[in-house]
């Protein structure tokens, strides 16, 4: 257990469904991230939150909607996804963005399959 | 922006032999180079990192070397063991002297297989 917990671990959804991925960190970190991991591709940074404010949005389609209600929780709301969105979605946290101590702690990921 | 190339994509070695994974980066300003290990069913975990003010760093059986001139860095694992089997990712970032860093750019990963 790394201190970053993701649920659900596996999710299968149709293209018209609405679902959410949840991430919780118990490390007292101030920065949280969503990454997309697809086969044979580098990890793709999707969103960055620092102290609950979104600081980066890497041209992610609007069918992905992040939410950070507090520094311990991060959600990724999904709606009208496409089959190519099937991937492992990784949540990560770090102490903060400004200390230079950017060691990322990852969760185990949520494996998403879009039918 | 930064681009990180990682080779090989798959590496199979006999238990006890050494394994070397290589990465190149494009942005000469990058100065922080971590390596992450991802075991099956788990998220990536940091195993070692190096900053550009040093050329080599070791931690037991793992070492990382950095050649700033050539813009490449490598992960070396000696006396490999079955538990070393995993996917390894290199990454690069610019870390500012006053604190703060741009986001990590990851390589595509290397699937390391340790043959018994």
């Amino acid at each position: 257990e790394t201190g970053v917990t993701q649920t659900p671990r596996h999710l299968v959804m149709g293209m018209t469904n609405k679902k959410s991925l949840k991430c919780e960190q118990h490390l007292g970190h101030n920065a949280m991230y969503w990454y997309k991991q697809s086969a044979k591709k580098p990890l793709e940074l999707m969103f960055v939150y620092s102290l609950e404010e979104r600081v980066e949005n890497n041209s992610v389609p609007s069918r992905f909607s992040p939410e950070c209600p507090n520094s311990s929780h991060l959600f990724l709301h999904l709606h009208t996804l496409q089959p190519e969105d099937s991937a492992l979605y990784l949540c990560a946290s770090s102490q903060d963005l400004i200390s230079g101590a950017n060691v990322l702690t990852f969760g185990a990921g949520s494996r998403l399959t879009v039918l | 922006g930064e681009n990180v190339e990682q080779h090989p994509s798959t590496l199979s070695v006999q238990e006890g032999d050494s394994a070397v994974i290589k990465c190149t980066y494009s942005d000469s300003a990058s100065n922080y180079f971590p390596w992450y290990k991802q075991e099956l069913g788990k998220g990536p975990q940091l195993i070692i990192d190096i900053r550009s003010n040093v050329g080599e760093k070791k931690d037991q059986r793992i070492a990382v070397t950095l050649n700033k001139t050539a813009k490449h860095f490598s992960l070396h694992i000696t006396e490999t063991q079955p538990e070393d089997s995993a996917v390894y990712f290199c990454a690069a970032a610019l870390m500012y002297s006053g604190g703060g860093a741009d986001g990590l750019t990851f390589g595509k990963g290397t699937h390391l297989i340790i043959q018994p």
Side-chain angles (χ1 to χ4, degrees), chain A residues 96-108:
Chain A
D96 52 44
L97 291 182
I98 63 171
S99 72
N102 271 44
V103 174
L104 293 177
T105 302
F106 283 91

Side-chain angles (χ1 to χ4, degrees), chain B residues 34-116:
Chain B
W35 287 87
Y36 284 82
K37 175 184 180 182
Q38 186 175 23
E39 296 175 330
L40 193 63
K42 297 184 179 181
Q45 276 194 288
L46 179 72
I47 56 171
I48 194 167
D49 58 14
I50 191 167
R51 297 172 197 242
S52 60
N53 57 345
V54 296
E56 182 176 2
K57 184 176 179 181
K58 293 182 79 170
D59 182 4
Q60 300 182 336
R61 297 186 296 108
I62 294 173
V64 57
T65 59
L66 171 65
N67 183 326
K68 288 171 55 180
T69 303
K71 290 189 286 188
H72 67 69
F73 56 111
S74 301
L75 178 71
H76 304 252
I77 305 174
T78 58
E79 300 171 22
T80 53
Q81 300 170 5
E83 55 264 35
D84 295 328
S85 293
V87 179
Y88 292 80
F89 293 93
C90 63
L94 170 61
M95 194 164 286
Y96 302 111
S97 58
D102 287 342
L104 291 170
T105 300
F106 285 88
K108 291 184 179 182
T110 296
H111 186 192
L112 177 61
I113 302 165
I114 308 300
Q115 304 277 8

